[in-house]
């Protein structure tokens, strides 16, 4: 009895004295990109409360320092009396001498809508949670509530993966889930369909027609089903629902960002402006992440760090193999033709295999650079043209090589992905690269599995694509007549670092160099030089680039020309 | 070919190379096994 009483007392104490966190956000000054945020903390045990803004955002690996857009920070005790605040570092505020309850309020400025940042204006409140809300690290494991105050005068509705408590109040079981739950408040449209008892919801904020959305949603449905077929099942979404949060508006920034039960999709192109075809690849990519990276999860990303950059050597798989499936799924779903799919391989293939960067880093080491390249910003020049290959692209062409190699053995990448899913995804056991190697060994044999990883993942050798392509009736050719200089130009200036081993590099040309003459032919002031054009064309300039330059000239936009 | 650099003001000669880029396309040869493999791969 004593034991039972003790247990009951503990349960009651936990219930009565649980530390609570309740957020409220409102948008009275949306026209100037501001939100007002209040956080009510109650039943605080410690005499000091530290709150901070995140430095990072789930799915992004660089540091973004969201505290830079926070100001007018105030704190009050339970009686409404102001409390002193210490700014203890650039991200954090400390409040002492409270009475067990603290209300923190602040103003947020936000004007970039994508998968990393937030944007508040009179069209929407596009909220990426780490870019919006402070948090108390000491309460990270506690549940929390968030009440959104949508602008009724602007007909805003709320879309989010957070479970609804009541009215406009939502719940989050802990900080990790809260931070992973972007929310869109706007006058958006919604479509949904059911797959084996789970709801797939597509929310679109745009200025196009409902009919266009209907057409687009049919494509989304085909993608969902084609990706389900790869793994044999959908993930079990935490609240029985997966939500696409799409904003296709001219004032947003193009992006896609995966989350556990939702994704952000942003693009400047509306459905009637090319987005019907141009935006659909991001739908395919981000939904594939519901398996690969959200649940088939690199161990290095668990738990996600909100106070420092997140580095993983597995992004060639998490992002790269997802990129391989991005267009493959569009083809399988009948949304692009096989010819278009194959043609689409060219750009990525040439980018990866003509890059000098493979001599410096393998795919794992390329992945390690994500904190420097994944929407990261710095002001000093870098030599990335020579030292970095995107792990999206690198992993994509390795996924292609692995798939075609497996098919030579009567196996395929879909089955390998299913086995990774069964072992590490469905079970949600974070994996290491050795684990991926082991699953491949078990599926295709040790010689094959170790051969692939030792040659292409731990080293950076190039698979025999010519032979692999022949097995599926593809040809790969080079045009020996086409000439190549290996430099990029913006008007008469070398616009990027020249690539190691190219004629331009060997000749000592470098970014910023100005072309004064070509074979003695000089550009004349701001006048377009036809002969110069011909020489540029011979260097391998793409015609479309030249046309753009011609168009610029025709509009009189010739600033910067010598 | 002659260039003048803006930082060191020197002339440079460049010898063009062959374009290293590849073109991948569907083969015109109607190899039945390869066509079958491609259809399975692309689930057509």
């Amino acid at each position: 009895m004593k034991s039972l009483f003790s247990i009951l007392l503990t349960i009651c104490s936990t219930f009565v004295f649980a530390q609570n966190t309740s957020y409220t956000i409102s948008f009275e000054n949306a026209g100037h990109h501001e939100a007002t945020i209040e956080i009510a903390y109650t039943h605080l045990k410690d005499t000091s409360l530290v709150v901070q803004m995140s430095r990072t955002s789930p799915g992004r690996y660089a540091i973004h320092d969201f505290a830079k857009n926070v100001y007018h920070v105030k704190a009050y005790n339970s009686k409404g009396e102001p409390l002193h605040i210490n700014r203890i570092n650039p991200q954090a505020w400390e409040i002492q001498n409270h009475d067990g309850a603290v209300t923190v309020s602040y103003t947020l400025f936000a004007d970039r809508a994508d998968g990393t940042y937030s944007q508040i204006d009179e069209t929407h409140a596009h909220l990426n949670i780490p870019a919006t809300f402070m948090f108390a690290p000491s309460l990270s494991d506690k549940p929390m509530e968030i009440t959104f105050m949508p602008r009724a005068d602007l007909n805003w509705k709320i879309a989010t993966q957070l479970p609804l408590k009541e009215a406009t109040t939502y719940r989050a079981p802990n900080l990790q889930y809260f931070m992973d739950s972007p929310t869109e408040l706007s006058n958006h449209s919604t479509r949904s369909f059911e797959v084996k008892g789970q709801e797939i919801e597509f929310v679109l904020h745009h200025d196009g027609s409902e009919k266009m959305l209907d057409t687009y949603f049919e494509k989304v449905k085909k993608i969902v089903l084609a990706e389900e077929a790869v793994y044999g099942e959908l993930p079990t979404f935490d609240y029985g629902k997966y939500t696409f949060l799409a904003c296709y508006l001219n004032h947003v920034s193009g992006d896609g960002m995966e989350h556990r039960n939702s994704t952000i999709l942003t693009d400047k192109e509306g459905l009637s402006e090319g987005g019907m075809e141009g935006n659909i690849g991001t739908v395919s990519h981000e939904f594939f992440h519901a398996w690969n990276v959200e649940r088939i999860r690199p161990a290095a990303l668990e738990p996600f760090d909100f106070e420092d950059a997140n580095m993983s050597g597995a992004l060639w798989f998490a992002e790269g193999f997802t990129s391989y499936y991005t267009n493959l799924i569009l083809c399988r779903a009948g949304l692009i033709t096989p010819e278009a799919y194959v043609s689409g391989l060219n750009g990525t293939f040439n980018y990866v295999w003509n890059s000098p960067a493979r001599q410096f880093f393998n795919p794992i080491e390329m992945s390690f650079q994500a904190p420097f390249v994944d929407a990261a910003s710095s002001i000093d020049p870098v030599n990335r043209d020579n030292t970095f290959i995107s792990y999206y692209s690198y992993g994509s062409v390795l996924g292609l090589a692995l798939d075609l190699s497996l098919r030579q053995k009567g196996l395929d990448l879909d089955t390998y992905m299913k086995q990774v899913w069964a072992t590490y995804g469905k079970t949600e056991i974070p994996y290491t690269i050795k684990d991926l190697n082991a699953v491949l060994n078990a599926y295709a044999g040790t010689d094959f599995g170790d051969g692939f990883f030792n040659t292409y993942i731990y080293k950076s050798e190039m698979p025999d694509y010519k032979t692999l392509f022949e097995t599926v009736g593809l040809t790969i050719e080079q045009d020996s007549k086409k000439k190549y200089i290996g430099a990029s130009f913006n008007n008469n200036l070398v616009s990027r670092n020249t690539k190691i081993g190219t004629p331009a590099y060997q000749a000592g040309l470098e970014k910023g160099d100005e072309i004064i003459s070509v074979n003695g032919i000089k550009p004349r002031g701001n006048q377009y030089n036809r002969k110069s054009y011909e020489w540029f064309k011979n260097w391998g300039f793409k015609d479309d680039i030249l046309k753009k330059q011609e168009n610029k000239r025709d509009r009189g936009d010739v600033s910067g020309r010598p | 070919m002659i260039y003048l650099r803006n930082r060191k003001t020197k002339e440079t000669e460049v010898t063009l190379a062959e374009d290293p880029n590849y073109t991948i396309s569907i083969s015109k040869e109607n190899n039945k096994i390869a066509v079958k493999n491609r259809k399975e791969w692309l689930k057509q």
Side-chain angles (χ1 to χ4, degrees):
Chain A
M1 281 300 288
K2 187 178 178 183
S3 174
L4 179 61
F5 175 78
S6 175
I7 292 169
L8 284 171
L9 184 66
T10 303
I11 292 171
C12 290
S13 299
T14 303
F15 181 75
V16 173
F17 300 112
Q19 298 174 101
N20 291 326
T21 305
S22 299
Y23 292 86
T24 304
I25 182 167
S26 58
F27 309 96
E28 296 84 357
N29 199 22
H32 290 290
H33 314 295
E34 285 186 340
T36 302
I37 293 145
E38 275 196 6
I39 318 170
Y41 296 100
T42 60
H43 302 101
L44 295 171
K45 291 174 183 168
D46 298 333
T47 55
S48 166
L49 173 69
V50 173
V51 293
Q52 70 168 83
M53 288 297 287
S54 179
R55 305 193 72 194
T56 61
S57 182
R60 282 265 117 88
Y61 306 108
I63 284 181
H64 299 283
D65 284 335
F66 298 115
K68 62 184 173 291
N69 272 330
V70 164
Y71 44 93
H72 202 224
V73 180
K74 304 285 183 187
Y76 305 91
N77 64 17
S78 66
K79 301 182 187 72
E81 297 165 339
L83 295 168
H84 179 70
I85 300 172
N86 291 322
R87 185 76 178 256
I88 55 175
N89 64 50
Q91 326 300 331
W93 296 258
E94 182 183 41
I95 301 136
Q96 293 179 319
N97 302 318
H98 58 74
D99 56 2
V102 175
T103 297
V104 177
S105 67
Y106 60 94
T107 301
L108 175 82
F109 177 86
D111 193 23
R112 182 181 170 95
D114 64 8
T116 309
Y117 299 99
S118 295
Q119 184 172 65
I120 297 157
D121 57 34
E122 293 197 336
T123 70
H124 66 175
H126 172 99
L127 304 178
N128 190 44
I129 301 302
T132 306
F133 294 105
M134 288 184 185
F135 65 95
S138 62
L139 303 175
S140 295
D141 295 333
K142 308 291 182 189
M144 50 197 71
E145 292 182 2
I146 166 74
T147 299
F148 299 99
M149 307 292 283
R151 286 280 296 266
D153 58 320
L154 299 173
N155 299 315
W156 284 3
K157 294 162 281 191
I158 304 166
T160 179
Q161 68 173 22
L162 292 166
L164 180 65
K165 181 186 178 191
E166 58 186 6
T168 62
T169 299
Y170 293 77
R171 294 181 288 111
N174 51 42
L175 181 71
Q176 286 283 341
Y177 193 81
F178 182 44
M179 289 295 198
D180 191 50
S181 302
T183 301
E184 170 77 11
L185 291 87
S186 59
N187 186 14
H188 50 250
S189 300
T190 303
R191 300 289 185 274
S192 69
F193 79 122
E194 194 175 298
V195 182
K196 294 171 186 163
Q198 298 200 91
E199 185 182 359
I200 306 296
E201 182 179 62
F202 192 89
V203 172
L204 178 58
H205 180 208
H206 71 152
D207 50 16
S209 70
E210 293 295 299
K211 191 176 175 186
M212 295 289 277
L213 172 55
D214 288 337
T215 304
Y216 196 66
F217 186 56
E218 290 306 310
K219 294 187 176 193
V220 173
K221 286 158 72 171
K222 288 178 180 173
I223 288 168
V224 168
L225 296 176
E227 294 190 354
E228 182 201 19
V230 171
Y231 291 98
E233 61 182 346
L234 289 180
T236 300
F237 298 118
D238 294 325
Y239 301 97
K241 186 167 82 170
Y242 181 93
T243 304
F244 292 92
L245 298 167
C247 259
Y248 296 155
L249 290 164
N250 189 254
H251 66 287
V252 306
S253 304
D255 200 5
M257 182 51 66
E258 71 278 4
H259 298 278
R260 259 187 85 80
N261 305 299
S262 66
T263 179
I264 286 287
L265 309 168
T266 51
D267 206 288
K268 290 182 179 300
E269 285 189 337
L271 296 179
S272 62
E273 299 157 341
M276 184 66 78
E277 290 76 33
N279 298 351
I280 199 69
T282 315
V283 173
S284 171
H285 185 95
E286 301 307 328
F287 192 65
F288 202 85
H289 275 317
W291 293 269
N292 190 20
V293 93
E294 286 301 327
R295 291 167 177 83
I296 301 173
R297 186 78 174 157
L301 298 181
E302 280 298 309
F304 195 81
D305 192 340
F306 297 113
E307 301 185 36
D308 204 350
N310 289 263
M311 187 180 85
S312 164
L315 298 183
W316 59 269
F317 181 79
E319 289 292 359
F321 275 37
T322 297
S323 294
Y324 168 60
Y325 274 101
T326 298
N327 284 353
L328 185 61
I329 289 294
L330 296 184
C331 185
R332 289 178 176 179
L335 301 178
I336 60 173
T337 64
E339 288 77 11
Y341 171 68
V342 171
S343 174
L345 296 173
N346 282 297
T348 307
F349 184 86
N350 286 314
Y351 160 58
V352 173
W353 297 118
N354 287 328
S355 170
R358 284 190 296 121
Q359 67 187 285
F360 301 111
F361 299 117
N362 64 28
I364 296 169
E365 294 162 331
M366 295 298 178
S367 302
F368 287 156
Q369 296 192 56
F372 305 128
V373 301
D374 183 43
S377 61
S378 59
I379 58 171
D380 55 327
V382 292
N383 195 17
R384 218 155 264 135
D385 287 320
N386 279 309
T387 61
F388 179 68
I389 302 171
S390 163
Y391 38 84
Y392 287 80
S393 306
Y394 203 162
S396 173
V397 295
L398 288 175
L400 170 66
L402 179 56
D403 198 0
L404 298 184
S405 301
L406 286 168
R407 286 173 187 278
Q408 284 187 310
K409 293 168 62 75
L411 309 173
D412 56 65
L413 190 64
D414 288 10
T415 308
Y416 172 66
M417 296 303 287
K418 274 191 189 82
Q419 296 196 3
V420 175
W421 167 246
T423 312
Y424 296 104
K426 200 168 180 179
T427 55
E428 300 210 32
I429 300 169
Y431 70 83
T432 63
I433 293 168
K434 283 185 178 176
D435 294 329
L436 296 178
N437 194 161
V439 174
L440 188 60
N441 288 0
Y443 175 50
T446 302
D447 287 349
F448 181 93
D450 283 351
F452 181 83
F453 274 80
N454 290 337
T455 311
Y456 307 121
I457 306 302
Y458 296 119
K459 291 182 186 170
S460 52
E461 294 185 21
M462 181 177 177
D464 179 4
Y465 281 98
K466 187 171 189 300
T467 302
L468 292 173
F469 283 147
E470 281 173 358
T471 65
V472 288
L474 303 185
T475 59
I476 176 166
E477 297 168 321
Q478 283 178 299
D479 183 353
S480 60
K481 293 178 185 170
K482 202 171 174 185
K483 296 300 178 189
Y484 176 77
I485 186 167
S488 300
F489 298 94
N490 181 8
N491 295 325
N492 285 29
L493 293 177
V494 179
S495 60
R496 306 180 66 138
N497 291 355
T498 52
K499 290 190 177 181
I500 295 169
T502 63
Y505 187 92
Q506 304 288 21
L509 282 178
E510 194 45 271
K511 181 181 177 181
D513 285 349
E514 182 180 5
I515 298 167
I516 303 300
S517 65
V518 179
N519 273 3
I521 302 167
K522 297 180 180 178
R524 291 174 297 165
N526 285 340
Q527 299 298 311
Y528 177 67
N529 186 317
R530 183 71 196 171
K531 289 178 181 174
S532 174
Y533 171 96
E534 291 301 333
W535 279 109
F536 276 41
K537 198 170 178 181
N538 287 338
W539 289 349
F541 265 75
K542 291 179 181 173
D543 283 343
D544 57 350
I545 292 174
L546 287 170
K547 282 173 189 168
K548 280 177 187 172
Q549 289 180 337
E550 279 189 285
N551 290 339
K552 272 190 175 179
R553 180 185 60 83
D554 292 341
R555 290 200 307 270
D557 180 9
V558 291
S559 58
R561 281 172 176 260
Chain B
M1 298 185 183
I2 306 298
Y3 306 86
L4 194 63
R5 301 189 65 179
N6 64 349
R7 291 190 187 179
K8 293 181 180 173
T9 319
K10 75 174 184 183
E11 293 181 346
T12 299
E13 186 171 336
V14 179
T15 304
L16 299 183
E18 287 183 7
D19 189 341
N21 289 306
Y22 295 89
T23 301
I24 305 163
S25 57
I26 292 176
S27 172
K28 289 170 185 167
E29 290 178 20
N30 193 19
N31 180 320
K32 286 184 180 176
I33 294 173
V35 170
K36 179 174 171 286
N37 288 343
R38 188 170 68 239
K39 286 184 175 177
E40 284 177 2
W41 171 42
L42 302 177
K43 310 276 187 210
Q44 297 296 305

